[in-house]
Amino acid sequence: MGDADIEKASLDRIFKQAFVRLMPLLFIGYVMAYIDRINVGFAALKMNADLGIGPAVFGFGAGVFFIGYFFAEVPSNLIMEKVGARRWIARIMISWGLISAAMIFVQGEKSFLAMRLLLGAAEAGFYPGVILYMTYWFPKEYRARMFGAFSVAIPVSLAIGAPLSTAILQLDGLMGLKGWQWLFILEGLPTSVFGILFLFMIPDRPKDATWLAPADRDKLQSILDEEKRSVAATHGSSLKTAFTDPRMAALSFIYFANTGANLGLAFFLPQILKSTGLTDMQSGLMTAVPYVFGTIGGLVFGYVSDRYNDRRLTLVTALIFTAIGMVGAGFLTGSLWAVAFMSLAAVGLYGAKAPFWALPSLFLTGSAAAAGIAVINCIGNLGGFVAPSIVGWVRQATGSFEAGLYFLGGMALAGAITTILVVNQRFADAREPRGTLSKQGA
């Protein structure tokens, strides 16, 4: 074994140790976050009738979460860059868990919309904060796998949350509370408790990790510092980059398309399945099926993207899977065969996240990375406002989810086309500041 092989084996050992210590905590946190975000879809099976909330208002309320998210996202990530990930991510988890539990006090449409808006503001910064946090620990050649492993928390949360949520709904009447109220209590408060534990268990950066040997700690920190200096020397690290680079607009749209397709399906999937004649419990169990496949897709696409150092083809393939799956599910709406196409869509939805989140760090670092990742996520997550609102409106207008699923497929296809056009061989090149002449034109 040569010196290069020995060095590679040493680095793999260090990164594996960091992965084992950090990823379970980050993963559990995101599972809780996503359950608290989408459990309203299961609560709707009973809550909507109890409170007189129609499909259009529910769709708007499901999506208005992302309006609060949008306005709080960038400030949240910039604060995290200043105060440290440990304290800030813990604060996010504690506050959103409490607000999620407070959904039990919703009385009608107005209070429903207000609480969803507050929940979005409270959770803002968690996902982009963790994405940024992982760039503090893992160099770019490892990141797609890390992002892929982290992102499968979404389908796992849905696979777990579906039967869990529908089971909790059966507590209807216990201690005078509705089943949907128990749902918010039992899925919200544990998140706040975990946030307190998180505060004591996560180090900010490798140099703070007492569980790494001093030599390993120094080696890992030096590799990451050198990578940061290299990106900064080529692209700069000012906040301006996060708001003016045209690649940011393209990445924001791609994420908008994928997130819109994702949440447009997630918020309505229990209702889509119940419309086939299933009971509440059967709908919850069947909802888990696509997300089992989504978990596999997230891991496989992350591995392939790093193994072949390819972001473009893996991302395009995942988005096309989503488009085909959504259109097929729309064509078969009302039949359980639609679940097979929803499973294909889930493979694409969660497979896209790993190669996608490896792209921003190719030209962003420092404050630019903190702001840029947050900008992409908050603009992209507006898809989580637009898509559920449209699907809910279409459902109310037509009495069917078919056209809404076609719309979600169109979003994914638009994301794939944008990726083909923008993520090319020159994607990671330095860009001339606007208003300057290139050397060739000087």
Side-chain angles (χ1 to χ4, degrees), residues 13-48:
R13 175 184 55 79
I14 296 171
F15 295 130
K16 182 178 180 180
Q17 189 175 355
F19 176 89
V20 169
R21 292 299 295 258
L22 300 176
M23 191 57 68
L25 295 171
L26 299 173
F27 187 89
I28 292 170
Y30 198 37
V31 167
M32 290 181 162
Y34 221 80
I35 287 176
D36 288 340
R37 180 187 296 187
I38 58 88
N39 60 10
V40 69
F42 298 99
L45 296 173
K46 299 294 185 182
M47 179 184 69
N48 287 7

PDB file of all heavy atoms in Angstrom, residues 13-48:
ATOM      1  N   ARG A  13     -11.113   6.930   7.779  1.00  0.00           N
ATOM      2  CA  ARG A  13     -11.363   6.559   9.173  1.00  0.00           C
ATOM      3  C   ARG A  13     -11.852   7.762   9.982  1.00  0.00           C
ATOM      4  O   ARG A  13     -12.815   7.660  10.763  1.00  0.00           O
ATOM      5  CB  ARG A  13     -10.070   6.001   9.787  1.00  0.00           C
ATOM      6  CG  ARG A  13     -10.198   5.692  11.276  1.00  0.00           C
ATOM      7  CD  ARG A  13      -8.852   5.240  11.854  1.00  0.00           C
ATOM      8  NE  ARG A  13      -7.786   6.188  11.604  1.00  0.00           N
ATOM      9  CZ  ARG A  13      -7.603   7.313  12.308  1.00  0.00           C
ATOM     10  NH1 ARG A  13      -8.423   7.606  13.299  1.00  0.00           N
ATOM     11  NH2 ARG A  13      -6.595   8.113  12.034  1.00  0.00           N
ATOM     12  N   ILE A  14     -11.232   8.918   9.763  1.00  0.00           N
ATOM     13  CA  ILE A  14     -11.628  10.124  10.501  1.00  0.00           C
ATOM     14  C   ILE A  14     -13.048  10.545  10.123  1.00  0.00           C
ATOM     15  O   ILE A  14     -13.872  10.859  10.992  1.00  0.00           O
ATOM     16  CB  ILE A  14     -10.640  11.275  10.220  1.00  0.00           C
ATOM     17  CG1 ILE A  14      -9.249  10.918  10.749  1.00  0.00           C
ATOM     18  CG2 ILE A  14     -11.135  12.571  10.868  1.00  0.00           C
ATOM     19  CD1 ILE A  14      -8.165  11.890  10.324  1.00  0.00           C
ATOM     20  N   PHE A  15     -13.342  10.523   8.816  1.00  0.00           N
ATOM     21  CA  PHE A  15     -14.665  10.949   8.374  1.00  0.00           C
ATOM     22  C   PHE A  15     -15.756   9.965   8.820  1.00  0.00           C
ATOM     23  O   PHE A  15     -16.867  10.374   9.137  1.00  0.00           O
ATOM     24  CB  PHE A  15     -14.696  11.125   6.855  1.00  0.00           C
ATOM     25  CG  PHE A  15     -13.811  12.242   6.379  1.00  0.00           C
ATOM     26  CD1 PHE A  15     -12.918  12.047   5.350  1.00  0.00           C
ATOM     27  CD2 PHE A  15     -13.866  13.485   6.989  1.00  0.00           C
ATOM     28  CE1 PHE A  15     -12.092  13.077   4.921  1.00  0.00           C
ATOM     29  CE2 PHE A  15     -13.045  14.525   6.569  1.00  0.00           C
ATOM     30  CZ  PHE A  15     -12.157  14.321   5.540  1.00  0.00           C
ATOM     31  N   LYS A  16     -15.395   8.685   8.858  1.00  0.00           N
ATOM     32  CA  LYS A  16     -16.350   7.698   9.353  1.00  0.00           C
ATOM     33  C   LYS A  16     -16.651   7.944  10.821  1.00  0.00           C
ATOM     34  O   LYS A  16     -17.808   7.846  11.262  1.00  0.00           O
ATOM     35  CB  LYS A  16     -15.800   6.287   9.152  1.00  0.00           C
ATOM     36  CG  LYS A  16     -16.774   5.204   9.602  1.00  0.00           C
ATOM     37  CD  LYS A  16     -16.206   3.805   9.345  1.00  0.00           C
ATOM     38  CE  LYS A  16     -17.186   2.734   9.800  1.00  0.00           C
ATOM     39  NZ  LYS A  16     -16.652   1.364   9.556  1.00  0.00           N
ATOM     40  N   GLN A  17     -15.616   8.279  11.599  1.00  0.00           N
ATOM     41  CA  GLN A  17     -15.826   8.557  13.018  1.00  0.00           C
ATOM     42  C   GLN A  17     -16.724   9.780  13.209  1.00  0.00           C
ATOM     43  O   GLN A  17     -17.633   9.774  14.041  1.00  0.00           O
ATOM     44  CB  GLN A  17     -14.477   8.786  13.703  1.00  0.00           C
ATOM     45  CG  GLN A  17     -14.569   8.879  15.224  1.00  0.00           C
ATOM     46  CD  GLN A  17     -13.200   8.979  15.874  1.00  0.00           C
ATOM     47  OE1 GLN A  17     -12.164   8.890  15.206  1.00  0.00           O
ATOM     48  NE2 GLN A  17     -13.184   9.175  17.181  1.00  0.00           N
ATOM     49  N   ALA A  18     -16.484  10.825  12.395  1.00  0.00           N
ATOM     50  CA  ALA A  18     -17.320  12.021  12.478  1.00  0.00           C
ATOM     51  C   ALA A  18     -18.756  11.704  12.062  1.00  0.00           C
ATOM     52  O   ALA A  18     -19.721  12.180  12.687  1.00  0.00           O
ATOM     53  CB  ALA A  18     -16.743  13.121  11.589  1.00  0.00           C
ATOM     54  N   PHE A  19     -18.900  10.906  11.025  1.00  0.00           N
ATOM     55  CA  PHE A  19     -20.238  10.530  10.544  1.00  0.00           C
ATOM     56  C   PHE A  19     -21.014   9.791  11.634  1.00  0.00           C
ATOM     57  O   PHE A  19     -22.174  10.107  11.910  1.00  0.00           O
ATOM     58  CB  PHE A  19     -20.095   9.656   9.296  1.00  0.00           C
ATOM     59  CG  PHE A  19     -21.402   9.135   8.765  1.00  0.00           C
ATOM     60  CD1 PHE A  19     -22.134   9.866   7.853  1.00  0.00           C
ATOM     61  CD2 PHE A  19     -21.900   7.900   9.176  1.00  0.00           C
ATOM     62  CE1 PHE A  19     -23.341   9.390   7.353  1.00  0.00           C
ATOM     63  CE2 PHE A  19     -23.106   7.417   8.695  1.00  0.00           C
ATOM     64  CZ  PHE A  19     -23.822   8.167   7.779  1.00  0.00           C
ATOM     65  N   VAL A  20     -20.360   8.822  12.267  1.00  0.00           N
ATOM     66  CA  VAL A  20     -21.031   8.003  13.278  1.00  0.00           C
ATOM     67  C   VAL A  20     -21.436   8.842  14.488  1.00  0.00           C
ATOM     68  O   VAL A  20     -22.495   8.606  15.090  1.00  0.00           O
ATOM     69  CB  VAL A  20     -20.116   6.834  13.705  1.00  0.00           C
ATOM     70  CG1 VAL A  20     -20.661   6.123  14.928  1.00  0.00           C
ATOM     71  CG2 VAL A  20     -19.957   5.848  12.545  1.00  0.00           C
ATOM     72  N   ARG A  21     -20.629   9.823  14.856  1.00  0.00           N
ATOM     73  CA  ARG A  21     -20.936  10.638  16.023  1.00  0.00           C
ATOM     74  C   ARG A  21     -21.976  11.721  15.741  1.00  0.00           C
ATOM     75  O   ARG A  21     -22.777  12.064  16.618  1.00  0.00           O
ATOM     76  CB  ARG A  21     -19.651  11.302  16.547  1.00  0.00           C
ATOM     77  CG  ARG A  21     -18.661  10.343  17.141  1.00  0.00           C
ATOM     78  CD  ARG A  21     -19.231   9.601  18.352  1.00  0.00           C
ATOM     79  NE  ARG A  21     -19.504  10.498  19.457  1.00  0.00           N
ATOM     80  CZ  ARG A  21     -18.754  10.649  20.522  1.00  0.00           C
ATOM     81  NH1 ARG A  21     -17.640   9.921  20.641  1.00  0.00           N
ATOM     82  NH2 ARG A  21     -19.090  11.469  21.490  1.00  0.00           N
ATOM     83  N   LEU A  22     -21.973  12.278  14.526  1.00  0.00           N
ATOM     84  CA  LEU A  22     -22.827  13.427  14.224  1.00  0.00           C
ATOM     85  C   LEU A  22     -24.135  13.068  13.525  1.00  0.00           C
ATOM     86  O   LEU A  22     -25.196  13.597  13.861  1.00  0.00           O
ATOM     87  CB  LEU A  22     -22.069  14.435  13.355  1.00  0.00           C
ATOM     88  CG  LEU A  22     -20.795  15.034  13.939  1.00  0.00           C
ATOM     89  CD1 LEU A  22     -20.121  15.936  12.914  1.00  0.00           C
ATOM     90  CD2 LEU A  22     -21.088  15.801  15.216  1.00  0.00           C
ATOM     91  N   MET A  23     -24.065  12.176  12.540  1.00  0.00           N
ATOM     92  CA  MET A  23     -25.217  11.954  11.674  1.00  0.00           C
ATOM     93  C   MET A  23     -26.449  11.428  12.417  1.00  0.00           C
ATOM     94  O   MET A  23     -27.570  11.870  12.122  1.00  0.00           O
ATOM     95  CB  MET A  23     -24.854  11.037  10.511  1.00  0.00           C
ATOM     96  CG  MET A  23     -25.931  10.965   9.428  1.00  0.00           C
ATOM     97  SD  MET A  23     -26.369  12.587   8.724  1.00  0.00           S
ATOM     98  CE  MET A  23     -24.853  12.976   7.851  1.00  0.00           C
ATOM     99  N   PRO A  24     -26.320  10.503  13.366  1.00  0.00           N
ATOM    100  CA  PRO A  24     -27.544  10.054  14.057  1.00  0.00           C
ATOM    101  C   PRO A  24     -28.300  11.200  14.729  1.00  0.00           C
ATOM    102  O   PRO A  24     -29.538  11.247  14.673  1.00  0.00           O
ATOM    103  CB  PRO A  24     -27.015   9.045  15.081  1.00  0.00           C
ATOM    104  CG  PRO A  24     -25.750   8.536  14.484  1.00  0.00           C
ATOM    105  CD  PRO A  24     -25.143   9.706  13.782  1.00  0.00           C
ATOM    106  N   LEU A  25     -27.583  12.132  15.353  1.00  0.00           N
ATOM    107  CA  LEU A  25     -28.242  13.250  16.020  1.00  0.00           C
ATOM    108  C   LEU A  25     -28.901  14.187  15.013  1.00  0.00           C
ATOM    109  O   LEU A  25     -30.045  14.625  15.193  1.00  0.00           O
ATOM    110  CB  LEU A  25     -27.225  14.022  16.863  1.00  0.00           C
ATOM    111  CG  LEU A  25     -26.620  13.248  18.033  1.00  0.00           C
ATOM    112  CD1 LEU A  25     -25.468  14.029  18.659  1.00  0.00           C
ATOM    113  CD2 LEU A  25     -27.676  12.938  19.084  1.00  0.00           C
ATOM    114  N   LEU A  26     -28.181  14.503  13.931  1.00  0.00           N
ATOM    115  CA  LEU A  26     -28.747  15.368  12.896  1.00  0.00           C
ATOM    116  C   LEU A  26     -29.949  14.691  12.239  1.00  0.00           C
ATOM    117  O   LEU A  26     -30.965  15.335  11.953  1.00  0.00           O
ATOM    118  CB  LEU A  26     -27.678  15.690  11.846  1.00  0.00           C
ATOM    119  CG  LEU A  26     -26.449  16.436  12.359  1.00  0.00           C
ATOM    120  CD1 LEU A  26     -25.400  16.533  11.252  1.00  0.00           C
ATOM    121  CD2 LEU A  26     -26.806  17.819  12.878  1.00  0.00           C
ATOM    122  N   PHE A  27     -29.821  13.403  12.011  1.00  0.00           N
ATOM    123  CA  PHE A  27     -30.872  12.634  11.357  1.00  0.00           C
ATOM    124  C   PHE A  27     -32.144  12.616  12.209  1.00  0.00           C
ATOM    125  O   PHE A  27     -33.244  12.894  11.713  1.00  0.00           O
ATOM    126  CB  PHE A  27     -30.363  11.212  11.114  1.00  0.00           C
ATOM    127  CG  PHE A  27     -31.277  10.341  10.309  1.00  0.00           C
ATOM    128  CD1 PHE A  27     -31.178  10.323   8.936  1.00  0.00           C
ATOM    129  CD2 PHE A  27     -32.225   9.533  10.919  1.00  0.00           C
ATOM    130  CE1 PHE A  27     -32.016   9.509   8.177  1.00  0.00           C
ATOM    131  CE2 PHE A  27     -33.068   8.727  10.187  1.00  0.00           C
ATOM    132  CZ  PHE A  27     -32.952   8.717   8.799  1.00  0.00           C
ATOM    133  N   ILE A  28     -31.995  12.309  13.493  1.00  0.00           N
ATOM    134  CA  ILE A  28     -33.157  12.277  14.388  1.00  0.00           C
ATOM    135  C   ILE A  28     -33.816  13.650  14.452  1.00  0.00           C
ATOM    136  O   ILE A  28     -35.044  13.775  14.429  1.00  0.00           O
ATOM    137  CB  ILE A  28     -32.745  11.803  15.793  1.00  0.00           C
ATOM    138  CG1 ILE A  28     -32.333  10.325  15.762  1.00  0.00           C
ATOM    139  CG2 ILE A  28     -33.894  11.993  16.789  1.00  0.00           C
ATOM    140  CD1 ILE A  28     -31.681   9.841  17.039  1.00  0.00           C
ATOM    141  N   GLY A  29     -32.998  14.694  14.515  1.00  0.00           N
ATOM    142  CA  GLY A  29     -33.544  16.049  14.543  1.00  0.00           C
ATOM    143  C   GLY A  29     -34.379  16.359  13.318  1.00  0.00           C
ATOM    144  O   GLY A  29     -35.467  16.958  13.429  1.00  0.00           O
ATOM    145  N   TYR A  30     -33.901  15.932  12.145  1.00  0.00           N
ATOM    146  CA  TYR A  30     -34.647  16.236  10.928  1.00  0.00           C
ATOM    147  C   TYR A  30     -35.892  15.370  10.790  1.00  0.00           C
ATOM    148  O   TYR A  30     -36.910  15.820  10.246  1.00  0.00           O
ATOM    149  CB  TYR A  30     -33.752  16.089   9.702  1.00  0.00           C
ATOM    150  CG  TYR A  30     -34.307  16.788   8.482  1.00  0.00           C
ATOM    151  CD1 TYR A  30     -34.984  18.004   8.600  1.00  0.00           C
ATOM    152  CD2 TYR A  30     -34.160  16.249   7.215  1.00  0.00           C
ATOM    153  CE1 TYR A  30     -35.493  18.656   7.491  1.00  0.00           C
ATOM    154  CE2 TYR A  30     -34.650  16.902   6.095  1.00  0.00           C
ATOM    155  CZ  TYR A  30     -35.316  18.101   6.239  1.00  0.00           C
ATOM    156  OH  TYR A  30     -35.821  18.740   5.140  1.00  0.00           O
ATOM    157  N   VAL A  31     -35.827  14.128  11.271  1.00  0.00           N
ATOM    158  CA  VAL A  31     -37.037  13.293  11.297  1.00  0.00           C
ATOM    159  C   VAL A  31     -38.117  13.996  12.109  1.00  0.00           C
ATOM    160  O   VAL A  31     -39.281  14.090  11.689  1.00  0.00           O
ATOM    161  CB  VAL A  31     -36.728  11.893  11.887  1.00  0.00           C
ATOM    162  CG1 VAL A  31     -38.022  11.157  12.210  1.00  0.00           C
ATOM    163  CG2 VAL A  31     -35.904  11.071  10.900  1.00  0.00           C
ATOM    164  N   MET A  32     -37.739  14.498  13.285  1.00  0.00           N
ATOM    165  CA  MET A  32     -38.708  15.209  14.124  1.00  0.00           C
ATOM    166  C   MET A  32     -39.216  16.479  13.439  1.00  0.00           C
ATOM    167  O   MET A  32     -40.410  16.797  13.485  1.00  0.00           O
ATOM    168  CB  MET A  32     -38.065  15.562  15.467  1.00  0.00           C
ATOM    169  CG  MET A  32     -37.809  14.354  16.356  1.00  0.00           C
ATOM    170  SD  MET A  32     -37.076  14.825  17.941  1.00  0.00           S
ATOM    171  CE  MET A  32     -37.417  13.364  18.915  1.00  0.00           C
ATOM    172  N   ALA A  33     -38.312  17.200  12.795  1.00  0.00           N
ATOM    173  CA  ALA A  33     -38.708  18.434  12.108  1.00  0.00           C
ATOM    174  C   ALA A  33     -39.728  18.144  11.028  1.00  0.00           C
ATOM    175  O   ALA A  33     -40.750  18.850  10.899  1.00  0.00           O
ATOM    176  CB  ALA A  33     -37.476  19.107  11.490  1.00  0.00           C
ATOM    177  N   TYR A  34     -39.487  17.119  10.256  1.00  0.00           N
ATOM    178  CA  TYR A  34     -40.374  16.846   9.134  1.00  0.00           C
ATOM    179  C   TYR A  34     -41.713  16.285   9.593  1.00  0.00           C
ATOM    180  O   TYR A  34     -42.752  16.579   9.000  1.00  0.00           O
ATOM    181  CB  TYR A  34     -39.695  15.919   8.120  1.00  0.00           C
ATOM    182  CG  TYR A  34     -39.970  16.350   6.709  1.00  0.00           C
ATOM    183  CD1 TYR A  34     -39.253  17.400   6.144  1.00  0.00           C
ATOM    184  CD2 TYR A  34     -40.963  15.755   5.949  1.00  0.00           C
ATOM    185  CE1 TYR A  34     -39.508  17.818   4.858  1.00  0.00           C
ATOM    186  CE2 TYR A  34     -41.216  16.166   4.660  1.00  0.00           C
ATOM    187  CZ  TYR A  34     -40.486  17.201   4.115  1.00  0.00           C
ATOM    188  OH  TYR A  34     -40.763  17.625   2.845  1.00  0.00           O
ATOM    189  N   ILE A  35     -41.688  15.474  10.638  1.00  0.00           N
ATOM    190  CA  ILE A  35     -42.961  14.987  11.184  1.00  0.00           C
ATOM    191  C   ILE A  35     -43.806  16.163  11.657  1.00  0.00           C
ATOM    192  O   ILE A  35     -45.013  16.238  11.391  1.00  0.00           O
ATOM    193  CB  ILE A  35     -42.709  13.987  12.332  1.00  0.00           C
ATOM    194  CG1 ILE A  35     -42.204  12.647  11.768  1.00  0.00           C
ATOM    195  CG2 ILE A  35     -43.986  13.753  13.143  1.00  0.00           C
ATOM    196  CD1 ILE A  35     -41.844  11.621  12.817  1.00  0.00           C
ATOM    197  N   ASP A  36     -43.166  17.120  12.352  1.00  0.00           N
ATOM    198  CA  ASP A  36     -43.898  18.291  12.829  1.00  0.00           C
ATOM    199  C   ASP A  36     -44.372  19.184  11.688  1.00  0.00           C
ATOM    200  O   ASP A  36     -45.356  19.908  11.816  1.00  0.00           O
ATOM    201  CB  ASP A  36     -43.021  19.115  13.780  1.00  0.00           C
ATOM    202  CG  ASP A  36     -42.832  18.440  15.130  1.00  0.00           C
ATOM    203  OD1 ASP A  36     -43.638  17.563  15.463  1.00  0.00           O
ATOM    204  OD2 ASP A  36     -41.879  18.792  15.843  1.00  0.00           O
ATOM    205  N   ARG A  37     -43.663  19.124  10.563  1.00  0.00           N
ATOM    206  CA  ARG A  37     -44.046  19.957   9.418  1.00  0.00           C
ATOM    207  C   ARG A  37     -45.249  19.386   8.685  1.00  0.00           C
ATOM    208  O   ARG A  37     -46.145  20.116   8.258  1.00  0.00           O
ATOM    209  CB  ARG A  37     -42.871  20.089   8.442  1.00  0.00           C
ATOM    210  CG  ARG A  37     -43.183  20.930   7.224  1.00  0.00           C
ATOM    211  CD  ARG A  37     -42.073  20.911   6.187  1.00  0.00           C
ATOM    212  NE  ARG A  37     -40.839  21.499   6.670  1.00  0.00           N
ATOM    213  CZ  ARG A  37     -39.771  21.718   5.904  1.00  0.00           C
ATOM    214  NH1 ARG A  37     -39.797  21.359   4.619  1.00  0.00           N
ATOM    215  NH2 ARG A  37     -38.686  22.263   6.401  1.00  0.00           N
ATOM    216  N   ILE A  38     -45.271  18.067   8.496  1.00  0.00           N
ATOM    217  CA  ILE A  38     -46.295  17.470   7.628  1.00  0.00           C
ATOM    218  C   ILE A  38     -47.390  16.715   8.377  1.00  0.00           C
ATOM    219  O   ILE A  38     -48.313  16.192   7.755  1.00  0.00           O
ATOM    220  CB  ILE A  38     -45.652  16.544   6.559  1.00  0.00           C
ATOM    221  CG1 ILE A  38     -44.814  15.418   7.205  1.00  0.00           C
ATOM    222  CG2 ILE A  38     -44.776  17.351   5.614  1.00  0.00           C
ATOM    223  CD1 ILE A  38     -45.552  14.181   7.551  1.00  0.00           C
ATOM    224  N   ASN A  39     -47.300  16.667   9.728  1.00  0.00           N
ATOM    225  CA  ASN A  39     -48.352  15.930  10.439  1.00  0.00           C
ATOM    226  C   ASN A  39     -49.717  16.572  10.277  1.00  0.00           C
ATOM    227  O   ASN A  39     -50.743  15.937  10.516  1.00  0.00           O
ATOM    228  CB  ASN A  39     -48.009  15.737  11.925  1.00  0.00           C
ATOM    229  CG  ASN A  39     -47.814  17.034  12.682  1.00  0.00           C
ATOM    230  OD1 ASN A  39     -48.092  18.120  12.185  1.00  0.00           O
ATOM    231  ND2 ASN A  39     -47.311  16.918  13.908  1.00  0.00           N
ATOM    232  N   VAL A  40     -49.734  17.828   9.833  1.00  0.00           N
ATOM    233  CA  VAL A  40     -51.008  18.487   9.566  1.00  0.00           C
ATOM    234  C   VAL A  40     -51.784  17.755   8.469  1.00  0.00           C
ATOM    235  O   VAL A  40     -53.014  17.782   8.433  1.00  0.00           O
ATOM    236  CB  VAL A  40     -50.781  19.966   9.190  1.00  0.00           C
ATOM    237  CG1 VAL A  40     -50.104  20.105   7.822  1.00  0.00           C
ATOM    238  CG2 VAL A  40     -52.085  20.751   9.208  1.00  0.00           C
ATOM    239  N   GLY A  41     -51.060  17.067   7.562  1.00  0.00           N
ATOM    240  CA  GLY A  41     -51.737  16.293   6.519  1.00  0.00           C
ATOM    241  C   GLY A  41     -52.543  15.148   7.095  1.00  0.00           C
ATOM    242  O   GLY A  41     -53.621  14.810   6.587  1.00  0.00           O
ATOM    243  N   PHE A  42     -52.050  14.532   8.172  1.00  0.00           N
ATOM    244  CA  PHE A  42     -52.785  13.448   8.829  1.00  0.00           C
ATOM    245  C   PHE A  42     -53.851  14.010   9.760  1.00  0.00           C
ATOM    246  O   PHE A  42     -54.949  13.465   9.859  1.00  0.00           O
ATOM    247  CB  PHE A  42     -51.805  12.552   9.587  1.00  0.00           C
ATOM    248  CG  PHE A  42     -50.799  11.893   8.696  1.00  0.00           C
ATOM    249  CD1 PHE A  42     -49.524  12.420   8.560  1.00  0.00           C
ATOM    250  CD2 PHE A  42     -51.131  10.783   7.945  1.00  0.00           C
ATOM    251  CE1 PHE A  42     -48.592  11.844   7.713  1.00  0.00           C
ATOM    252  CE2 PHE A  42     -50.215  10.186   7.091  1.00  0.00           C
ATOM    253  CZ  PHE A  42     -48.937  10.722   6.980  1.00  0.00           C
ATOM    254  N   ALA A  43     -53.513  15.109  10.449  1.00  0.00           N
ATOM    255  CA  ALA A  43     -54.515  15.759  11.300  1.00  0.00           C
ATOM    256  C   ALA A  43     -55.735  16.159  10.486  1.00  0.00           C
ATOM    257  O   ALA A  43     -56.867  16.129  10.988  1.00  0.00           O
ATOM    258  CB  ALA A  43     -53.903  16.991  11.976  1.00  0.00           C
ATOM    259  N   ALA A  44     -55.512  16.513   9.207  1.00  0.00           N
ATOM    260  CA  ALA A  44     -56.607  16.968   8.342  1.00  0.00           C
ATOM    261  C   ALA A  44     -57.692  15.921   8.162  1.00  0.00           C
ATOM    262  O   ALA A  44     -58.848  16.259   7.874  1.00  0.00           O
ATOM    263  CB  ALA A  44     -56.058  17.375   6.968  1.00  0.00           C
ATOM    264  N   LEU A  45     -57.343  14.646   8.338  1.00  0.00           N
ATOM    265  CA  LEU A  45     -58.339  13.589   8.182  1.00  0.00           C
ATOM    266  C   LEU A  45     -59.506  13.773   9.152  1.00  0.00           C
ATOM    267  O   LEU A  45     -60.623  13.349   8.879  1.00  0.00           O
ATOM    268  CB  LEU A  45     -57.684  12.217   8.391  1.00  0.00           C
ATOM    269  CG  LEU A  45     -56.599  11.819   7.374  1.00  0.00           C
ATOM    270  CD1 LEU A  45     -55.914  10.526   7.801  1.00  0.00           C
ATOM    271  CD2 LEU A  45     -57.189  11.675   5.971  1.00  0.00           C
ATOM    272  N   LYS A  46     -59.261  14.430  10.303  1.00  0.00           N
ATOM    273  CA  LYS A  46     -60.309  14.697  11.290  1.00  0.00           C
ATOM    274  C   LYS A  46     -60.477  16.193  11.566  1.00  0.00           C
ATOM    275  O   LYS A  46     -61.591  16.685  11.747  1.00  0.00           O
ATOM    276  CB  LYS A  46     -59.982  13.978  12.603  1.00  0.00           C
ATOM    277  CG  LYS A  46     -59.897  12.458  12.497  1.00  0.00           C
ATOM    278  CD  LYS A  46     -61.260  11.844  12.165  1.00  0.00           C
ATOM    279  CE  LYS A  46     -61.182  10.315  12.194  1.00  0.00           C
ATOM    280  NZ  LYS A  46     -62.482   9.690  11.824  1.00  0.00           N
ATOM    281  N   MET A  47     -59.353  16.910  11.610  1.00  0.00           N
ATOM    282  CA  MET A  47     -59.365  18.317  12.002  1.00  0.00           C
ATOM    283  C   MET A  47     -60.182  19.185  11.048  1.00  0.00           C
ATOM    284  O   MET A  47     -60.928  20.080  11.488  1.00  0.00           O
ATOM    285  CB  MET A  47     -57.926  18.847  12.066  1.00  0.00           C
ATOM    286  CG  MET A  47     -57.790  20.326  12.436  1.00  0.00           C
ATOM    287  SD  MET A  47     -56.066  20.891  12.364  1.00  0.00           S
ATOM    288  CE  MET A  47     -55.787  20.834  10.566  1.00  0.00           C
ATOM    289  N   ASN A  48     -60.055  18.952   9.750  1.00  0.00           N
ATOM    290  CA  ASN A  48     -60.741  19.802   8.779  1.00  0.00           C
ATOM    291  C   ASN A  48     -62.257  19.793   8.995  1.00  0.00           C
ATOM    292  O   ASN A  48     -62.909  20.844   8.962  1.00  0.00           O
ATOM    293  CB  ASN A  48     -60.409  19.352   7.352  1.00  0.00           C
ATOM    294  CG  ASN A  48     -58.983  19.719   6.958  1.00  0.00           C
ATOM    295  OD1 ASN A  48     -58.209  20.193   7.795  1.00  0.00           O
ATOM    296  ND2 ASN A  48     -58.627  19.489   5.713  1.00  0.00           N
TER     297      ASN A  48
END
